[in-house]
């Protein structure tokens, strides 16, 4: 009889910084009011530095708030005006406090109702030109609400929690005493985190709710996974792909799915169905990203939302027929004069198409035109926006002048479209017709975005062979790109013979035949992934078999025209 799998406890080094090795600085303030933006000031700061359950150091000082201490504050805290008159101002106290906390940005500040205390400290730093170090912050109030139910305590005030956990120090509305009490509550809360699988600061920072029993019961799926970069595939009992992801450390990433740090409801549901995790080790991060895209396309995993339908993103194509027209399509086969896209939505594609229609007299009807069977022209002909080839007003040669100009604007020189629409936008804005101007603004932005993507894709798709390298630590990452497709990639360690290594990589790289269109041999998503890598810092081109260049008056020149906020009303610039 097979032994059942037991939940695997990941080593703490794999998951992150253990809570027992994290330094926490528990802070508490006394103030003259509830809000610094209403003139309230700090009267006292207390802090306790703890690590591994041990107190490392304490900090305490009165502070001159720069304003009178209200009588009710004196009654509540016992801090009188006479006590703060001889205290240092907050400008003198802040450097000492920040020095006590320490320069390490991984130190965690802790407070009960942290927005109050941290808000006062940040406001004081801003008022006195002191840089706030940006420490991570842990608020014990919401954490207590998640871990201690109202069936156990009447409320989640500091005094109630300190009594419930039996803290050695009880709060007294004095800064150091309250910081000590908060430290006691913090340790009590930590004891409750164990059953939830939260044992590192990284898990605690993302803790929202307890992992499900299914999550805890599936930890064995991460056993034996390599601690290397690559792609992982969650599969069900039948071998169907549920989820595909990538990581620089496969074991660490997969283990995170079985802890409280994973809060996505769909992913938790997916973990409950998973029966195995298949790892695919990759030599480079680029290979992992490309493999993830290819696997999502190939296996259509149920729980991958992003990138699952990347192959069906819309394009605008100028068709190849006797009288070409602009059509929104879901795939490119290269059988077109020119393309725009891909676009994030059909609406974006339609806006870009309208921009081209507004500039060139391209027909907008979808009927097949035959010279032997003319039909009556639509209203666009009377408006001068179409040459009416349908009724024989333009022959094939005359009409082809419009399509040639449109194709050139889509694939090379976008300036005719940009100039036509910007002039029209300026004219409408001058007439205070801002809503109409906004429509043309959105058309222009969609056109420029679509033309930019298509031209970038087309440029790399024409390159038959390209080899590039960039440093990654002591190694070098090398990649071979052919017609926009990643054909090979590897890491070259120090001491390797670069010429032999490069020759071996090129000789074993995938053979990729040329094709037509902006993405002939790879998905647009894959080619754009490769382009991001090639355009990164420190990349060096080693081999190049073709000119790789963007058009002189291409769409990238006008990318600034796409930065508008469509939710905002149009205003003349």
């Amino acid at each position: 009889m097979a032994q059942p799998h037991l939940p695997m406890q990941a080593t703490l080094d794999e998951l992150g910084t253990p809570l027992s090795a994290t330094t926490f600085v528990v802070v508490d303030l006394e103030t003259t009011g509830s809000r610094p933006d209403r003139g309230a000031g700090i009267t006292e700061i207390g802090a306790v530095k703890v690590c591994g359950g041990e107190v490392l150091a304490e900090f305490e000082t009165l502070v001159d708030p720069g304003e009178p201490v209200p009588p009710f504050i004196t009654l509540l805290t016992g801090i009188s005006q006479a006590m703060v008159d001889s205290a240092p101002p907050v400008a003198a106290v802040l450097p000492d406090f920040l020095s006590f906390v320490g320069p390490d940005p991984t130190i965690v500040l802790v407070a009960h109702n942290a927005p109050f205390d941290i808000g006062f400290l940040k406001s004081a730093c801003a008022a006195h030109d002191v840089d706030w170090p940006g420490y991570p912050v842990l608020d014990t109030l919401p954490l207590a609400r998640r871990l201690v139910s109202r069936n156990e305590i009447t409320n989640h005030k500091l005094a109630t929690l300190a009594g419930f956990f039996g803290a050695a120090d009880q709060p007294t509305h004095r800064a150091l005493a309250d910081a000590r009490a908060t430290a006691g509550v913090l340790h009590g809360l930590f004891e409750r985190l164990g059953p939830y699988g939260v044992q590192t600061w990284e898990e605690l920072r993302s803790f929202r709710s307890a992992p499900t029993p299914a999550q805890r019961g599936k930890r064995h799926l991460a056993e034996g996974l390599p601690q290397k970069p690559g792609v992982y595939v969650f599969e069900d009992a039948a071998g169907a792909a549920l989820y595909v992801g990538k990581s620089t450390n496969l074991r660490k990433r997969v283990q995170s799915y079985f802890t409280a740090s994973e809060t996505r409801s769909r992913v938790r549901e997916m973990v409950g169905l998973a029966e195995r995790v298949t790892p695919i080790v990759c030599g480079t991060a680029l290979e992992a990203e490309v493999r993830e895209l290819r696997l999502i396309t190939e296996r259509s995993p149920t729980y991958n939302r992003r990138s699952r339908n990347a192959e069906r993103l819309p394009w605008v194509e100028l068709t190849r027929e006797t009288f070409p027209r602009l059509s929104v399509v879901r795939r490119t086969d290269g059988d077109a004069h020119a393309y725009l896209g891909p676009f994030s939505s059909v609406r974006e594609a339609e806006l870009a198409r309208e921009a081209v229609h507004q500039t060139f007299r391209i027909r907008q009807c979808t009927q097949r035109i035959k010279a032997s069977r003319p039909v009556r022209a639509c209203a666009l002909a009377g408006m001068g926006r179409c040459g009416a080839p349908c009724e024989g007003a333009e022959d094939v040669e005359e009409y082809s002048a419009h399509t040639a100009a449109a194709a050139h604007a889509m694939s090379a020189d976008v300036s005719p479209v940009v100039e036509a629409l910007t002039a029209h936008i300026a004219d409408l804005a001058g007439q205070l017709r801002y809503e109409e101007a906004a429509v043309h603004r959105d058309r222009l932005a969609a056109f420029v975005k679509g033309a930019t993507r298509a031209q970038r894709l087309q440029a790399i798709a024409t390159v038959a062979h390209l080899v590039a390298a960039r440093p990654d630590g002591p190694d070098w990452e090398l990649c071979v790109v052919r017609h926009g497709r990643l054909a090979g990639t590897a890491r070259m360690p120090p001491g390797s013979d670069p010429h032999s290594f490069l020759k071996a990589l090129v000789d074993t790289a995938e053979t990729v035949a040329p094709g037509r269109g902006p993405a002939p041999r790879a998905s647009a998503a894959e080619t754009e992934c490769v382009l991001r890598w090639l355009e990164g810092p420190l990349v060096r081109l080693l081999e190049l078999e073709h000119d790789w260049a963007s058009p002189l008056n291409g769409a990238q020149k006008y990318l600034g025209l796409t930065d508008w906020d469509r939710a905002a009303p149009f205003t003349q610039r």
Side-chain angles (χ1 to χ4, degrees):
M1 180 177 177
Q3 294 295 320
H5 283 293
L6 297 177
M8 183 193 71
Q9 173 60 56
T11 65
L12 298 180
D13 288 341
E14 293 170 354
L15 290 176
T17 307
L19 293 176
S20 59
T22 303
T23 300
F24 297 92
V25 176
V26 187
V27 62
D28 186 86
L29 304 183
E30 301 301 330
T31 65
T32 61
S34 61
R35 294 179 57 174
D37 58 352
R38 294 183 179 177
I42 300 172
T43 58
E44 191 176 34
I45 301 177
V48 181
K49 182 180 289 187
V50 296
C51 183
E54 299 293 330
V55 176
L56 304 180
E58 293 184 339
F59 179 91
E60 180 183 27
T61 182
L62 289 167
V63 182
D64 182 357
E67 65 166 22
V69 178
F72 76 91
I73 293 294
T74 300
L75 183 63
L76 177 66
T77 66
I79 299 175
S80 65
Q81 185 67 46
M83 294 170 64
V84 299
D85 281 342
S86 58
V90 70
V93 170
L94 284 174
D96 293 338
F97 172 73
L98 295 177
S99 176
F100 168 80
V101 176
D104 189 346
T106 63
I107 290 174
V108 181
L109 288 183
V110 182
H112 197 70
N113 190 23
F116 175 85
D117 302 276
I118 306 304
F120 266 92
L121 289 171
K122 287 183 177 180
S123 178
C125 285
H128 295 88
D129 295 325
V130 176
D131 291 333
W132 178 253
Y135 301 110
V137 176
L138 174 62
D139 191 344
T140 54
L141 177 57
L143 182 60
R145 287 172 176 162
R146 297 186 192 107
L147 296 175
V148 186
S149 71
R150 293 297 292 267
N151 293 329
E152 298 176 278
I153 56 176
T154 57
N155 58 59
H156 293 89
K157 294 180 180 179
L158 179 59
T160 305
L161 290 166
F164 175 77
F165 285 116
D169 298 275
Q170 297 298 308
T172 62
H173 290 294
R174 291 300 299 268
L176 183 57
D178 288 8
R180 289 170 175 168
T182 304
V185 170
L186 178 68
H187 292 138
L189 294 172
F190 281 177
E191 292 178 0
R192 292 204 161 202
L193 287 171
Y196 297 128
V198 177
Q199 301 198 32
T200 68
W201 163 241
E202 288 76 12
E203 292 175 325
L204 177 57
R205 182 171 52 190
S206 58
F207 177 71
R208 293 295 179 271
S209 59
T212 64
Q215 282 180 286
R216 294 195 295 269
K218 295 295 179 70
R219 289 185 177 180
H220 65 275
L221 297 181
E223 287 186 47
L225 294 184
Q227 298 188 62
K228 294 181 179 180
V231 178
Y232 55 90
V233 184
F234 280 88
E235 298 174 332
D236 63 14
L242 298 172
Y243 187 86
V244 176
K246 65 180 185 300
S247 177
T248 56
N249 186 318
L250 289 169
R251 186 190 303 177
K252 181 178 178 180
R253 181 67 186 102
V254 172
Q255 284 171 339
S256 70
Y257 285 89
F258 312 121
T259 67
S261 62
E262 181 51 72
T263 60
R264 294 170 292 176
S265 59
R266 280 177 55 84
V267 173
R268 286 187 171 200
E269 178 184 308
M270 178 276 296
V271 169
L273 299 174
E275 291 297 329
R276 68 182 66 87
V277 179
T278 300
I280 302 173
V281 176
C282 299
T284 65
L286 176 61
E287 180 187 356
E289 189 171 356
V290 168
R291 280 186 177 271
E292 179 192 32
L293 291 171
R294 292 179 183 177
L295 280 170
I296 290 173
T297 300
E298 175 188 339
R299 303 193 63 178
S300 298
T302 308
Y303 289 86
N304 278 94
R305 285 180 173 174
R306 190 165 60 99
S307 302
R308 190 172 60 184
N309 297 319
E311 292 300 303
R312 291 191 52 77
L313 290 177
W315 299 73
V316 173
E317 70 172 15
L318 183 59
T319 62
R320 284 189 182 274
E321 50 188 310
T322 306
F323 295 96
R325 58 191 174 84
L326 294 168
S327 178
V328 176
V329 297
R330 290 288 187 177
R331 58 182 298 175
T332 61
D333 55 13
D335 189 22
H337 288 287
Y339 289 95
L340 297 174
F343 296 90
S344 59
S345 67
V346 172
R347 177 56 182 156
E348 287 290 300
E350 290 173 343
L351 286 171
R353 179 172 62 177
E354 290 164 4
V356 182
H357 279 150
Q358 190 172 331
T359 309
F360 303 102
R361 294 176 16 140
I362 304 293
R363 70 185 182 98
Q364 300 184 35
C365 57
T366 59
Q367 61 189 334
R368 179 169 296 180
I369 300 175
K370 295 183 178 180
S372 59
R373 297 177 58 186
V375 296
R376 184 181 296 274
C378 64
L380 292 175
M383 298 166 60
R385 296 180 59 184
C386 179
C390 54
E391 64 178 13
E394 282 186 337
D395 59 23
V396 174
E397 183 177 355
E398 292 171 324
Y399 184 81
S400 65
H402 307 311
T403 57
H408 187 65
M410 294 167 66
S411 59
D413 185 357
V414 301
S415 58
V417 179
V418 172
E419 291 169 3
L421 267 72
T422 52
H424 194 45
I425 291 170
D427 183 54
L428 291 171
Q431 301 175 47
L432 305 183
R433 296 161 62 183
Y434 293 134
E435 291 186 2
E436 294 176 67
V439 172
H440 297 287
R441 171 201 66 186
D442 295 345
R443 290 175 179 173
L444 177 58
F447 169 80
V448 171
K449 287 180 181 178
T452 297
R453 295 186 75 176
Q455 290 174 10
R456 291 178 74 243
L457 292 169
Q458 185 68 61
I460 192 68
T462 60
V463 178
H465 175 76
L466 179 155
V467 182
R470 76 175 184 185
D472 183 26
D475 300 339
W476 280 84
E477 285 187 2
L478 281 75
C479 75
V480 180
V481 181
R482 291 170 176 168
H483 298 294
R485 182 179 179 87
L486 182 64
T489 180
R491 296 177 68 89
M492 184 174 69
S496 302
D497 179 358
H499 298 288
S500 299
F501 192 95
L502 176 60
K503 184 179 186 304
L505 176 62
V506 170
D507 290 345
T508 57
E510 178 183 359
T511 300
V512 182
R516 294 189 300 176
R521 293 295 177 252
S523 68
E526 175 180 333
T527 303
E528 288 182 324
C529 171
V530 171
L531 281 170
R532 286 193 298 271
W533 189 91
L534 291 173
E535 294 167 352
L538 304 179
V539 172
R540 301 181 184 182
L541 291 180
L542 305 181
E543 295 181 1
L544 183 64
E545 292 183 10
H546 192 278
D547 290 337
W548 178 30
S550 297
L552 180 61
N553 286 315
Q556 286 184 278
K557 178 179 179 180
Y558 299 98
L559 273 179
L561 298 175
T562 67
D563 295 334
W564 292 310
D565 179 8
R566 295 200 180 172
F570 182 87
T571 55
Q572 188 174 12
R573 295 193 171 195

